[in-house]
């Protein structure tokens, strides 16, 4: 709109150019989503949750009285622990903004029964009102990787280690505040002798909601662990060693694993000297995943509650017809620009976010289906929604299944990798969607026969042959395998007893393309392969030294096929049994 009030209509040619740019951004969005999916735990916080409420919703809820009790407890905990001090606003130094106080409410449920066992209220600082360089600087804080968690669980089975889960109560405020911060009095509470117009709170401890709160807490925890003679891993910054005992930390939830219950008890007692810690006993529910031990040599990871949440949101009824596989093998999902528009009541992006978290946590067999659907989150059509519902029908029939970890001590690291050369190629979409020319990599990295990490993703460059596609996938899969091998070596160096008949960790990588195997083993470059970027040769020294052995495997026996293309029911079930254990 101009200053005179006249509405300006952009030229038609200009708008065509704008739409062309938007179409291009849709085409490359799959790479943005792919990068986000590299950290599966982050997806746990995305999407709508009826049990997570803001202030007004909580006060109108049927269980509002329970939330009010939780509010009083939260305020009393902060006050008695001297996390803040009442402060007159007139005494706030010039230039210091008084930040808003935000309430967050949560109904905590049992993962298996979904029964509410706790009403939680948390006071947060409005971090969005902070100013960089004034009241915050660095914000990054690491969390433990899922591959470290799974590897530790497998080792606990193999060597009959003891495990314990601990929780740091009100973790962030256990650390001192990084700089001077002031916060408004929280809504719904009365502070005797004070009023919101004249008083505020000066923060003495690291309250939740700050941009740097996680980082400040992590540094405080690391400092305390080092004082207790823990040694921090250089492979995963949230793994700590103390002799043959390991501690894995995800913010305020931690797992202790080692050969002796007595040592674990001593560690917990030592932590309680300076930290407010609760002993949660054996691992049961961790990071939204139900952990169970149906037998002494088996651990099962399941998320039936998350699957049910997805099904309810999509509107899938219990009596709905189920599917025997995750994706239809009759068609390849495409952009479908001329197809019917998306008219579902559910939010496509939110469902995709939850499906990604499910896939990355406990359900690798749905990786291909989820990532194919995720490519079209920007410009969703009815055909894309139908594929999501197809996947949901499969989940409906397998809701109570999960990832079964049953170690085979005769095996070490194994990587099964496969690529689908230009498998998304659709002639009609080629001009509008360059990603149809890209190949898909799928791999499963396992230790002692148990899946530790996996991926199904488009390659970032266009390759010119099946051989090149397979070689690029081989390189990508070994990046994480080498990290895992280093982590295991590090465990041994720090005193974790890992008896083995071999002096070094040995990795087998199963590849079904002879050309890719030949390039990996031979440094000779030919006219058709010399253009391959140097970044894809990073693992050759490992192959040369014998630490990684690349072996051929029959295509029909390649379980990574599950992650690269839609399969028939027979092939899907066959590979699922090998990867999932059921």
């Amino acid at each position: 709109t101009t200053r005179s009030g006249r509405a300006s209509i952009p030229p038609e040619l200009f708008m065509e150019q704008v739409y062309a740019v938007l179409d291009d951004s849709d085409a490359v969005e799959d790479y943005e989503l792919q990068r986000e999916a590299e950290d599966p735990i982050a997806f746990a916080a995305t999407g709508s949750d009826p049990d997570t409420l803001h202030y007004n919703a909580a006060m109108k809820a049927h269980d509002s009285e329970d939330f009010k009790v939780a509010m009083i407890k939260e305020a009393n905990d902060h006050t008695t622990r001297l996390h803040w001090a009442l402060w007159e606003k007139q005494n706030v130094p010039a230039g210091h903004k008084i930040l808003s106080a935000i309430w967050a409410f949560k109904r905590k449920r049992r993962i298996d029964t979904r029964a509410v066992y706790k009403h939680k209220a948390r006071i947060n600082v409005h971090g969005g009102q902070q100013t960089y360089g004034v009241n915050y600087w660095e914000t990054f804080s690491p969390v433990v990787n899922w591959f470290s968690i799974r590897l530790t669980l497998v080792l606990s089975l193999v060597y009959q280690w003891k495990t314990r889960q601990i929780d740091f109560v009100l973790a962030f405020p256990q650390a001192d505040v990084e700089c001077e911060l002031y916060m408004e009095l929280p809504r719904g509470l009365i502070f005797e002798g004070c009023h919101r117009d004249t008083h505020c709170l000066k923060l003495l401890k690291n309250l939740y909601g700050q941009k740097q709160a996680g980082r400040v807490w992590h540094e405080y925890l690391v400092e305390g662990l080092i004082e207790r003679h823990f040694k921090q891993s250089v492979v995963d910054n949230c793994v700590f060693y103390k002799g043959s005992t390991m501690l894995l930390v995800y913010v305020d939830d931690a797992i202790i694993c080692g050969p002796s219950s007595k040592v674990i008890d001593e560690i917990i007692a030592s932590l309680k000297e300076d930290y407010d810690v609760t002993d949660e006993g054996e691992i049961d529910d961790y990071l939204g995943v139900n952990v169970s031990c149906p037998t002494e040599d088996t651990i099962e990871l399941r998320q039936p509650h998350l699957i049910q949440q997805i099904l309810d949101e999509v509107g899938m009824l219990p009596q709905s017809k189920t599917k025997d596989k995750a994706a239809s093998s009759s068609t390849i999902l495409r952009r479908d620009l001329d197809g019917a528009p998306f008219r579902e009541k559910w939010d496509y992006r939110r469902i995709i976010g939850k499906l990604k978290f499910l896939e990355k946590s406990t359900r690798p067999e749905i990786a291909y289906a989820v990532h194919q659907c995720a490519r079209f989150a920007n410009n969703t059509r009815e055909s894309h929604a139908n594929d999501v519902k197809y996947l949901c029908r499969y989940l409906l029939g397998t809701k109570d299944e999960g990832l079964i970890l049953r170690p085979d001590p005769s095996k070490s690291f194994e990587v099964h990798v496969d690529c689908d050369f230009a498998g998304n190629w659709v002639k009609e979409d080629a001009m509008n969607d360059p990603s149809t020319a890209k190949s898909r990599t799928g791999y499963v990295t396992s230790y002692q026969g148990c899946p530790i990490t996996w991926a199904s993703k488009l390659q970032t460059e266009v390759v010119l042959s099946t051989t090149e596609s397979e070689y690029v996938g081989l390189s990508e899969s070994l990046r994480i395998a080498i990290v895992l091998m280093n982590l295991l070596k590090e465990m041994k160096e720090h005193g974790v007893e890992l008896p083995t008949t071999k002096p070094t960790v040995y990795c087998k990588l199963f590849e079904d393309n002879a050309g890719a195997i030949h390039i990996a083993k031979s440094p000779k470059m030919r006219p058709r392969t010399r253009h391959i970027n140097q970044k894809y040769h990073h693992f050759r020294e490992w192959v040369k030294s014998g630490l990684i052995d690349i072996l051929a495997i029959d295509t029909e026996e390649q379980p990574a096929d599950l992650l690269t293309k839609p399969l028939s029911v027979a092939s899907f079930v066959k590979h699922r049994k090998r990867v999932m254990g059921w």
Side-chain angles (χ1 to χ4, degrees):
T1 304
T2 63
R3 284 182 292 178
S4 63
R6 181 177 61 85
S8 175
I9 302 176
E12 186 175 336
L13 179 60
F14 171 77
M15 292 309 298
E16 289 178 358
Q17 294 172 342
V18 170
Y19 292 138
V21 172
L22 291 176
D23 285 342
D24 287 343
S25 68
D26 291 347
V28 300
E29 190 209 8
D30 43 12
Y31 303 113
E32 297 299 325
L33 293 170
Q34 184 167 288
R35 280 193 289 271
E36 291 176 6
E38 293 303 316
D39 183 7
I41 299 179
F43 285 104
T46 63
S48 66
D49 181 359
D51 290 326
T52 301
L53 302 90
H54 55 75
Y55 180 81
N56 290 335
M59 294 302 99
K60 295 177 182 178
H62 67 278
D63 48 358
S64 60
E65 291 302 317
D66 294 313
F67 283 124
K68 290 177 182 178
V69 172
M71 289 171 64
I72 296 173
K73 180 181 184 304
E74 172 79 354
N76 287 338
D77 286 344
H78 285 299
T79 301
T80 56
R81 300 180 190 198
L82 304 179
H83 293 169
W84 58 40
L86 287 168
W87 206 259
E88 291 188 12
K89 288 187 175 181
Q90 63 182 11
N91 294 330
V92 174
H96 283 264
K97 183 176 182 179
I98 302 177
L99 307 176
S100 299
I102 307 296
W103 279 107
F105 299 91
K106 177 80 174 180
R107 297 185 188 97
K108 306 280 281 188
R109 295 181 182 270
R110 303 289 180 192
I111 286 184
D112 50 354
T113 64
R114 304 305 296 152
V116 177
Y117 67 92
K118 183 179 180 181
H119 287 76
K120 190 170 185 177
R122 173 167 286 169
I123 299 174
N124 302 275
V125 176
H126 193 327
Q129 297 175 350
Q130 289 182 260
T131 304
Y132 177 75
V134 176
N135 48 26
Y136 83 94
W137 292 269
E138 295 295 328
T139 60
F140 172 74
S141 176
V143 294
V144 68
N145 290 289
W146 258 119
F147 62 72
S148 298
I149 297 172
R150 294 192 196 99
L151 181 58
T152 303
L153 291 177
V154 171
L155 293 174
S156 72
L157 284 175
V158 174
Y159 304 115
Q160 296 298 302
W161 288 344
K162 310 300 181 183
T163 60
R164 201 79 61 82
Q165 185 174 345
I166 63 173
D167 178 53
F168 292 90
V169 181
L170 278 175
F172 287 10
Q174 295 187 39
D176 292 333
V177 71
E178 184 181 41
C179 59
E180 277 195 71
L181 285 174
Y182 298 87
M183 183 182 74
E184 295 282 0
L185 298 180
R187 296 174 62 187
L189 297 177
I190 298 176
F191 289 80
E192 189 174 349
C194 301
H195 192 273
R196 294 172 56 85
D197 294 337
T198 58
H199 287 77
C200 63
L201 297 171
K202 180 180 181 180
L203 302 186
L204 306 177
K205 292 291 184 177
N206 180 49
L207 208 63
Y208 289 94
Q210 303 169 67
K211 291 180 179 292
Q212 74 273 36
R215 179 182 179 85
V216 172
W217 157 248
H218 178 75
E219 291 179 344
Y220 175 70
L221 178 60
V222 171
E223 181 181 349
L225 292 175
I226 291 176
E227 288 178 356
R228 288 165 173 78
H229 307 293
F230 277 91
K231 295 180 180 179
Q232 188 175 18
S233 168
V234 297
V235 179
D236 186 334
N237 289 335
C238 291
V239 174
F240 300 86
Y241 306 98
K242 187 171 186 180
S244 57
T245 303
M246 293 189 300
L247 174 69
L248 290 76
V249 180
Y250 180 81
V251 189
D252 57 356
D253 290 308
I255 294 174
I256 305 178
C257 186
S260 170
S261 294
K262 180 180 179 182
V263 173
I264 293 177
D265 290 336
E266 291 173 353
I267 289 174
I268 295 175
S270 174
L271 290 173
K272 287 183 176 180
E273 293 175 2
D274 294 314
Y275 300 95
D276 192 348
V277 178
T278 58
D279 184 348
E280 303 291 330
E282 290 291 327
I283 302 174
D284 182 15
D285 301 329
Y286 192 66
L287 304 181
V289 175
N290 178 253
V291 182
S292 61
C293 297
T295 63
E296 289 185 359
D297 62 346
T298 303
I299 288 179
E300 187 171 359
L301 308 177
R302 302 184 307 119
Q303 292 173 287
H305 61 292
L306 177 58
I307 295 176
Q308 189 59 56
Q309 192 180 103
I310 294 170
L311 297 177
D312 291 342
E313 195 163 338
V314 172
M316 194 70 60
L317 300 176
Q319 63 269 26
S320 297
K321 185 178 180 180
T322 61
K323 297 292 183 180
D324 295 325
K325 55 182 181 175
S328 171
S329 56
S330 59
T331 58
I332 297 293
L333 200 59
R334 46 177 291 197
R335 295 191 72 193
D336 197 17
L337 294 177
D338 298 325
F342 178 83
R343 292 194 177 94
E344 302 290 337
K345 295 181 180 179
W346 43 274
D347 187 289
Y348 189 88
R349 283 174 173 264
R350 184 161 61 237
I351 293 297
I352 291 298
K354 293 180 179 180
L355 287 170
K356 280 184 174 181
F357 180 57
L358 174 67
E359 173 257 318
K360 285 295 183 183
S361 301
T362 59
R363 298 296 293 266
E365 93 276 20
I366 69 170
Y368 170 79
V370 172
H371 285 261
Q372 278 290 85
C373 293
R375 296 178 57 226
F376 309 102
N378 242 19
N379 197 351
T380 308
R381 302 291 175 176
E382 183 180 341
S383 57
H384 307 143
N386 289 338
D387 264 52
V388 171
K389 287 189 283 188
Y390 189 106
L391 172 57
C392 287
R393 292 182 186 277
Y394 167 74
L395 292 175
L396 178 63
T398 59
K399 181 177 65 174
D400 295 322
E401 303 292 347
L403 181 63
I404 298 175
L405 305 177
R406 189 179 294 114
D408 180 355
S410 66
K411 298 180 179 180
S412 183
F413 276 117
E414 292 184 349
V415 182
H416 289 84
V417 56
D418 189 39
C419 293
D420 188 24
F421 175 57
N424 289 317
W425 174 260
V426 179
K427 182 179 179 181
E428 294 77 12
D429 289 349
M431 295 301 295
N432 295 321
D433 189 359
S435 65
T436 61
K438 292 188 168 62
S439 304
R440 179 171 289 276
T441 294
Y443 63 82
V444 180
T445 304
S446 58
Y447 180 70
Q448 299 208 4
C450 300
I452 301 300
T453 185
W454 52 84
S456 174
K457 56 185 178 181
L458 290 179
Q459 295 177 358
T460 55
E461 287 113 341
V462 175
V463 295
L464 306 179
S465 66
T466 301
T467 294
E468 187 180 343
S469 168
E470 297 278 1
Y471 185 77
V472 170
L474 188 153
S475 175
E476 290 179 343
S477 66
L478 283 179
R479 293 175 193 175
I480 187 65
I482 290 172
V483 171
L484 287 169
M485 293 168 71
N486 285 332
L487 181 60
L488 198 62
K489 289 179 183 178
E490 185 183 68
M491 290 179 183
K492 295 172 69 174
E493 291 170 357
H494 284 287
V496 179
E497 298 180 7
L498 300 177
T500 177
T501 58
K502 298 185 182 226
T504 57
V505 179
Y506 188 70
C507 175
K508 294 180 182 178
L509 186 138
F510 296 90
E511 172 60 63
D512 61 3
N513 184 275
I517 294 175
H518 188 72
I519 295 174
K521 292 183 175 181
S522 171
K524 184 177 179 180
M525 286 289 102
R526 293 164 176 79
R528 293 185 62 186
T529 58
R530 66 177 51 160
H531 64 280
I532 297 178
N533 195 291
Q534 188 63 32
K535 71 180 181 180
Y536 294 120
H537 301 316
H538 67 93
F539 60 90
R540 274 191 171 160
E541 289 301 317
W542 291 74
V543 176
K544 185 178 179 181
S545 66
L547 295 177
I548 292 177
D549 193 12
I550 301 178
L551 307 176
I553 188 173
D554 188 275
T555 301
E556 296 298 320
E557 301 301 320
Q558 175 61 278
D561 252 6
L562 193 69
L563 307 176
T564 60
K565 58 183 76 70
L567 302 174
S568 65
V569 173
S571 295
F572 181 85
V573 171
K574 174 184 176 181
H575 295 318
R576 181 184 67 187
K577 179 174 178 59
R578 189 164 179 184
V579 174
M580 302 292 297
W582 51 273

